[in-house]
Amino acid sequence: MINIAIDGPAGAGKSTIAKTASKELGYIYVDTGALYRTVGLNALRLGKDTKSEAEVVPTLENLQVSLRFVDGEQRVFLGDEDVSTAIRQNEVSMAASNVSAIPKVREFLFDLQRDIAKKNNCIMDGRDIGTVVLPDAQIKIYLTASAEARADRRYKELIEKGQDVNYDDILKEIELRDYQDTHREIAPLKKADDAVLVDTTKLTLEESIDHMLSVIRERI
């Protein structure tokens, strides 16, 4: 099986770019961030402090998180509920960052991620795919962009959806999440030594996708 690991900070476009590239290549796309978002969503719904290991770990006991591929699209389920849309809320983004720093949460999702990779040609994105989850992936890419560019993209995306948002608030949130992701004790976000750096700060979405595909095809 061919595994492609894509890591990078929040808002770099990993999901959108990886999803499009996987369709082009005929691979399965695995958004590991969606798994952490689901754990975070569940904890929020239960009224738990997502920064508290003591409060979050017990929520894992009866938690059923799964990825299902419906008409070629990855959908995320919490039990029997499709939460693919619910996990994209802003407060869930921060909850995902919080719970991902908890070792038991990472252990809980680790086997699921690796099992998918063993059975499928896949593109998997996240924060620690090339460094921890799939250290032997044939292709590793570190996808990034400046915090300002990522905040601008997120701001425009939310405005188009009719949400009342503030650019400065989004930038602060992205910078906070970057700090949390790169400074956590367990599997911090970092570029794998053998990963190719792809910076999309000055690229359009279409240019980013084309560049990503060219990097992958050169190495397959």
Side-chain angles (χ1 to χ4, degrees), residues 158-201:
L158 294 174
I159 288 294
E160 285 178 7
K161 291 180 179 178
Q163 295 188 29
D164 183 17
V165 291
N166 179 279
Y167 169 82
D168 290 334
D169 290 341
I170 293 173
L171 177 59
K172 287 177 184 176
E173 186 176 287
I174 282 178
E175 290 174 337
L176 174 60
R177 184 147 190 209
D178 285 353
Y179 183 85
Q180 289 182 338
D181 289 345
T182 54
H183 287 77
R184 65 185 180 219
E185 288 185 25
I186 305 297
L189 167 66
K190 63 180 180 179
K191 176 181 172 293
D193 292 338
D194 53 347
V196 178
L197 178 66
V198 174
D199 189 325
T200 68
T201 299

Side-chain angles (χ1 to χ4, degrees), residues 14 18 29 33 54 68 82 95 122 128 130 154 160 182 219:
K14 296 187 302 297
Y29 164 61
R68 303 178 195 176
D82 185 340
C122 73
D128 63 346
R154 181 65 174 158
E160 285 178 7
T182 54
R219 287 161 177 76

Side-chain angles (χ1 to χ4, degrees), residues 2-33:
I2 296 177
N3 294 159
I4 301 171
I6 301 178
D7 292 308
K14 296 187 302 297
S15 298
T16 303
I17 295 170
K19 193 181 297 183
T20 304
S22 66
K23 284 184 179 178
E24 284 280 332
L25 297 167
Y27 288 12
I28 281 178
Y29 164 61
V30 183
D31 174 6
T32 62

Side-chain angles (χ1 to χ4, degrees), residues 26-194:
Y27 288 12
I28 281 178
Y29 164 61
V30 183
D31 174 6
T32 62
L35 301 175
Y36 287 99
R37 284 172 176 268
T38 305
V39 174
L41 173 67
N42 184 61
L44 287 174
R45 286 180 172 180
L46 293 172
K48 306 300 183 183
D49 177 357
T50 56
K51 291 183 178 179
S52 169
E53 183 171 4
E55 291 191 32
V56 171
V57 170
T59 70
L60 303 175
E61 188 173 343
N62 298 308
L63 183 62
Q64 293 182 318
V65 182
S66 61
L67 298 177
R68 303 178 195 176
F69 296 92
V70 182
D71 297 327
E73 284 284 321
Q74 175 190 273
R75 307 296 294 177
V76 190
F77 284 78
L78 175 57
D80 292 325
E81 179 190 357
D82 185 340
V83 293
S84 304
T85 300
I87 61 173
R88 297 301 167 187
Q89 300 168 43
N90 267 351
E91 70 170 336
V92 179
S93 295
M94 288 310 300
S97 182
N98 292 338
V99 301
S100 68
I102 299 172
K104 288 290 184 184
V105 172
R106 306 197 74 83
E107 289 174 19
F108 176 77
L109 296 174
F110 186 76
D111 289 340
L112 173 61
Q113 296 169 48
R114 278 205 163 174
D115 188 55
I116 294 172
K118 284 179 183 177
K119 297 176 180 176
N120 303 278
N121 290 329
C122 73
I123 296 181
M124 187 177 294
D125 76 33
R127 301 289 189 280
D128 63 346
I129 309 305
T131 53
V132 177
V133 180
L134 301 178
D136 298 322
Q138 291 91 335
I139 301 169
K140 298 179 186 178
I141 295 169
Y142 190 84
L143 183 68
T144 191
S146 70
E148 291 77 13
R150 288 181 280 135
D152 185 59
R153 293 168 187 170
R154 181 65 174 158
Y155 173 76
K156 289 176 180 175
E157 176 189 346
L158 294 174
I159 288 294
E160 285 178 7
K161 291 180 179 178
Q163 295 188 29
D164 183 17
V165 291
N166 179 279
Y167 169 82
D168 290 334
D169 290 341
I170 293 173
L171 177 59
K172 287 177 184 176
E173 186 176 287
I174 282 178
E175 290 174 337
L176 174 60
R177 184 147 190 209
D178 285 353
Y179 183 85
Q180 289 182 338
D181 289 345
T182 54
H183 287 77
R184 65 185 180 219
E185 288 185 25
I186 305 297
L189 167 66
K190 63 180 180 179
K191 176 181 172 293
D193 292 338
D194 53 347

